[in-house]
Amino acid sequence: KTRFREFINVPELSLLYNEIADVRNDDNLVLDKPKMKGGGYTTMFIPMNEEQADYGQRIIQFAKTKDGSVLGLQLSENQLTAYMLLATNLSSKMAIDMRLINKDYAYDPNGKVGKMTDEVLKVYNETNEHKGAQLIFSDLGTPKNKNNQSEMLKDYMEDELGVPQDTLVEIFGNFAEEGHKYLPINSIKQKLIDTLEIEETDFDEYLEQAKLSGETFNLYDEIKKRLIDKGIPENEIVFIHSYNNQKAKEKLFEKVNSGEIRVVLGSTQKLGTGVNVQKRLAAIHHLDVPWRPSDMEQRNGRGVRQGNWIAKTHLHNETAVYTYATERTLDGYKYQLLQTKQRFIDQVKIGNIEDRVIKENSEEGSDAYAIFVAELSGNKDILLKFKLEQERERLTKQRRNFEG
């Protein structure tokens, strides 16, 4: 399994791209659609609680030693090989709710879930006269079908791994069709191995992680419970995961656009594409942070688009887009990484880039560890030191090449 780590001759790449592409974006195409409220994201910063701070220190220790026992885990050989990816995933869960790590932790009313549900209630009341709707996005803690292993595995791969829809259809069949029946897990196994070109041990790891995900804390149920406790009627809150085929989804979209359904929770893959609920969409909430700019673009595009009647008529043609970042976690770094990636993509598309080489930070290795320690400890000097050492090494190599 490989992916690009470095782009070279970037100005030439941009020129080649612009020879074959006609780029249209918000800078050169005027469309009658709302803007983000306040000119950008509304970011809510959430302080760490004591349990998160303690677990963050243990993640740092794990990233340094690869010793799963500091996290109370017995790791497989595959997990040890991708230990920094595991640490990243655990940090992402920790930033949302410690119960995604262990459901025995207590609810924190000052955490992400508490803060976000406060904001959802606020927007709900402010737009109540016009039945304003809201979307809540999270790719972690999604509902799983525990009674069907094949469907549970599909949901895990779709929500938490972000596997593309066409690949999922190739493996699991056209699950968007009404009445679709999943093949037994033993029949799915070889299809998945062949399609993704993975080993049998990788499949076993996927299935085990899907089972663990299905057995752990259900974040969606918790959010719904807190919203109901704060006064939003239960019948106005739904999960996109409850609508398993296109016909059912179309009926849901009609209810959202009519104001009958006011809050929809979903993952990027399920709620971020092909979802036309913009008519009354007043706010979008990002509880987690995706890795790809395209995911944020798809999420935001559910409301920041043509046809948003409530924004145009009653909200100064603006849609509120909320992000939630827990301090001293990887949230801030991931948002910064999204911005860096998006800037690179935009510069290549419009031909406005001068850097000849663009490198992507690795999820493993020394750069990942430096980021971990800096973000989770709150000591940004560690990351600055690492970047300066990298720059010194780069300049030293350039000098040797010049003198040679």
Side-chain angles (χ1 to χ4, degrees):
K1 297 181 280 291
T2 59
R3 65 186 179 93
F4 287 111
R5 295 287 190 188
E6 180 178 270
F7 294 87
I8 63 174
N9 299 329
V10 177
E12 289 79 9
L13 171 65
S14 179
L15 286 172
L16 181 61
Y17 177 82
N18 279 276
E19 285 182 4
I20 62 173
D22 182 22
V23 179
R24 289 289 177 263
N25 53 34
D26 288 340
D27 294 328
N28 57 31
L29 185 63
V30 179
L31 296 175
D32 184 16
K33 65 178 185 178
K35 297 183 182 298
M36 286 190 188
K37 185 177 180 180
Y41 293 104
T42 302
T43 301
M44 314 301 294
F45 294 100
I46 294 100
M48 263 189 164
N49 60 33
E50 291 183 6
E51 289 85 2
Q52 287 171 319
D54 174 69
Y55 198 78
Q57 291 301 312
R58 286 194 275 157
I59 290 179
I60 292 175
Q61 186 66 18
F62 167 67
K64 181 179 180 180
T65 64
K66 301 185 187 179
D67 180 8
S69 66
V70 301
L71 299 173
L73 300 174
Q74 289 186 337
L75 303 182
S76 66
E77 192 171 324
N78 282 352
Q79 288 175 318
L80 281 172
T81 301
Y83 74 100
M84 286 305 299
L85 182 59
L86 173 62
T88 300
N89 291 338
L90 290 172
S91 177
S92 297
K93 292 178 179 180
M94 174 192 76
I96 295 176
D97 195 301
M98 281 300 295
R99 288 172 294 178
L100 288 169
I101 304 293
N102 186 330
K103 56 187 176 184
D104 292 333
Y105 281 101
Y107 168 62
D108 180 8
N110 297 313
K112 268 195 184 184
V113 173
K115 187 66 174 177
M116 186 199 66
T117 50
D118 285 344
E119 295 301 318
V120 172
L121 178 64
K122 180 181 175 182
V123 175
Y124 179 91
N125 289 330
E126 290 175 347
T127 63
N128 199 37
E129 181 182 356
H130 307 293
K131 303 294 182 183
Q134 300 179 71
L135 304 183
I136 299 172
F137 283 98
S138 177
D139 294 335
L140 295 172
T142 59
K144 304 290 192 304
N145 186 337
K146 301 177 184 178
N147 299 319
N148 186 312
Q149 285 192 331
S150 296
E151 186 174 357
M152 178 179 64
L153 179 60
K154 189 274 295 182
D155 283 341
Y156 169 75
M157 295 176 66
E158 183 178 23
D159 294 336
E160 300 193 25
L161 300 184
V163 175
Q165 290 288 312
D166 55 349
T167 302
L168 291 172
V169 170
E170 187 176 350
I171 297 169
F172 297 96
N174 192 358
F175 45 84
E177 285 185 349
E178 189 173 6
H180 173 74
K181 293 185 178 180
Y182 287 87
L183 293 173
I185 193 66
N186 289 334
S187 301
I188 292 294
K189 179 177 181 177
Q190 195 57 49
K191 275 186 143 185
L192 192 149
I193 290 173
D194 293 341
T195 302
L196 299 184
E197 299 180 354
I198 61 174
E199 302 294 330
E200 185 172 343
T201 54
D202 295 321
F203 171 84
D204 294 338
E205 186 71 32
Y206 283 162
L207 185 58
E208 180 64 25
Q209 290 303 313
K211 290 177 180 178
L212 290 174
S213 180
E215 293 169 358
T216 54
F217 174 67
N218 190 320
L219 179 66
Y220 280 46
D221 282 344
E222 174 67 7
I223 293 170
K224 183 175 182 178
K225 177 183 183 301
R226 299 301 167 183
L227 290 173
I228 293 170
D229 289 346
K230 291 176 181 181
I232 298 179
E234 181 177 0
N235 64 313
E236 295 183 6
I237 308 166
V238 301
F239 307 157
I240 191 71
H241 297 70
S242 302
Y243 300 81
N244 294 323
N245 59 71
Q246 194 58 38
K247 187 176 180 181
K249 287 180 181 178
E250 293 294 340
K251 290 181 179 179
L252 168 64
F253 302 161
E254 290 175 6
K255 290 181 178 180
V256 177
N257 284 323
S258 69
E260 185 177 344
I261 299 294
R262 302 281 302 279
V263 180
V264 185
L265 289 81
S267 61
T268 304
Q269 293 262 47
K270 285 186 170 70
L271 191 59
T273 57
V275 174
N276 299 309
V277 293
Q278 67 271 19
K279 185 176 180 180
R280 295 178 187 270
L281 198 57
I284 296 167
H285 304 264
H286 300 290
L287 190 61
D288 67 342
V289 192
W291 286 106
R292 298 174 296 200
S294 59
D295 290 341
M296 287 296 281
E297 186 176 6
Q298 287 295 333
R299 289 179 175 193
N300 295 338
R302 299 315 94 209
V304 184
R305 63 187 298 181
Q306 292 175 289
N308 192 328
W309 166 81
I310 194 171
K312 185 177 177 67
T313 309
H314 302 288
L315 301 176
H316 312 291
N317 210 20
E318 292 182 330
T319 301
V321 181
Y322 291 87
T323 57
Y324 299 85
T326 301
E327 296 173 356
R328 290 173 54 195
T329 67
L330 294 182
D331 283 352
Y333 166 73
K334 289 171 75 175
Y335 278 120
Q336 185 181 31
L337 190 61
L338 281 174
Q339 181 187 33
T340 301
K341 289 180 178 180
Q342 188 63 61
R343 184 169 61 247
F344 166 63
I345 292 169
D346 291 343
Q347 287 176 336
V348 169
K349 284 183 175 181
I350 65 176
N352 181 26
I353 190 165
E354 296 180 356
D355 294 329
R356 297 205 61 79
V357 178
I358 300 291
K359 293 185 179 182
E360 181 179 346
N361 286 333
S362 173
E363 292 168 358
E364 301 179 10
S366 58
D367 53 347
Y369 179 67
I371 291 164
F372 252 84
V373 175
E375 297 294 338
L376 271 64
S377 68
N379 185 356
K380 301 299 177 67
D381 289 342
I382 296 172
L383 187 57
L384 177 61
K385 177 178 179 289
F386 175 76
K387 288 181 176 179
L388 289 173
E389 288 173 346
Q390 280 190 320
E391 180 65 9
R392 183 183 64 182
E393 182 180 350
R394 184 185 70 82
L395 292 172
T396 301
K397 287 180 180 179
Q398 283 187 345
R399 181 178 177 178
R400 281 201 300 263
N401 290 337
F402 176 76
E403 292 176 344

